[in-house]
Amino acid sequence: YRHAGPPGTIWQKRAGVRQRSVESVVDELEYLQNEHGIGHVMWLDDDLFKDAKRTINLYNEMVRRNLKLTWDATNGVIAAACTEEIIAAAAESGCIALNIGMESGNPEILREIVKPGTVKSFIKAAEILRKYEQIHSSVFLMIGFPNETFSMILDTINVSREMDLDWYRASVLQPLPNTPIYDSMVAQGLIQDVG
């Protein structure tokens, strides 16, 4: 939760991540709904489902307080965290859209980019998400990784087809300065350092 909360906000700190209490977050959601007529929120969290217990408590508290909000996590969620229990709680609390950051369906590329997902975890997440028609499920895909072959790109396409979700967003790799992939590509002579 990236912005400063209302006065009296209680923050919790966990391994380098600063979090507000579940009660504080739901207090704010309730305030936004009741005082400002907000009907939808977008979670901009890189790892929204990381703490399963906290995540489920958050969604259950939203339901307990009878919030009528819808929400999405279109910034992306980690496939391995998409468990039956979390997705069921998400659906009940108003989730209407999730994105899975897959990037590649090729195990070699996934290892090279140190992706916290596997083909198996992507397929499992898709199996769970297909049970919840009210959640529009999409996948982020990327092509153009260093040394990626056409066969590796086909792996990504085939895994996507097997996942059989609602939408796929494909983009071409854009290595940004000061990232490991950028530094690796400069070292390999694949791109020039822009300084």
Side-chain angles (χ1 to χ4, degrees):
Y1 312 107
R2 302 191 186 290
H3 61 86
T9 297
I10 300 168
W11 293 92
Q12 298 172 339
K13 190 160 179 145
R14 183 190 81 217
V17 175
R18 187 172 68 170
Q19 297 179 315
R20 291 172 41 202
S21 71
V22 165
E23 294 76 20
S24 173
V25 173
V26 181
D27 285 348
E28 184 170 351
L29 293 173
E30 194 170 47
Y31 172 79
L32 291 170
Q33 175 186 276
N34 296 341
E35 300 299 321
H36 295 286
I38 301 298
H40 182 85
V41 294
M42 179 180 182
W43 298 110
L44 293 175
D45 190 320
D46 292 336
D47 204 355
L48 184 61
F49 298 164
K50 180 175 177 63
D51 182 337
K53 182 179 177 184
R54 182 181 196 284
T55 299
I56 292 165
N57 287 342
L58 173 65
Y59 301 149
N60 287 345
E61 183 65 12
M62 291 170 68
V63 170
R64 189 187 74 72
R65 293 199 203 179
N66 201 29
L67 294 183
K68 299 299 182 197
L69 295 169
T70 59
W71 63 268
D72 70 85
T74 50
N75 192 48
V77 297
I78 294 175
C82 293
T83 64
E84 291 273 359
E85 192 175 16
I86 286 178
I87 299 304
E92 189 175 353
S93 71
C95 178
I96 61 169
L98 293 177
N99 284 334
I100 293 177
M102 182 170 102
E103 278 77 43
S104 177
N106 177 270
E108 185 179 333
I109 295 290
L110 292 171
R111 279 191 303 277
E112 286 180 18
I113 63 172
V114 194
K115 187 69 185 168
T118 64
V119 170
K120 184 178 178 180
S121 68
F122 300 138
I123 300 298
K124 179 66 177 166
E127 287 172 5
I128 294 167
L129 286 165
R130 284 195 307 267
K131 296 176 186 177
Y132 298 89
E133 291 185 21
Q134 73 269 36
I135 300 176
H136 178 86
S137 303
S138 62
V139 181
F140 291 132
L141 307 172
M142 196 173 293
I143 61 171
F145 291 103
N147 306 311
E148 184 177 42
T149 65
F150 183 70
S151 175
M152 292 171 163
I153 294 171
L154 284 177
D155 289 342
T156 300
I157 292 168
N158 290 333
V159 170
S160 300
R161 285 182 172 161
E162 188 175 347
M163 290 175 76
D164 191 29
L165 292 176
D166 299 314
W167 195 257
Y168 299 88
R169 301 161 195 257
S171 64
V172 176
L173 174 69
Q174 296 179 358
L176 299 175
N178 300 316
T179 62
I181 200 159
Y182 176 89
D183 295 339
S184 172
M185 291 177 75
V186 168
Q188 294 174 53
L190 298 172
I191 59 174
Q192 290 182 332
D193 189 359
V194 294

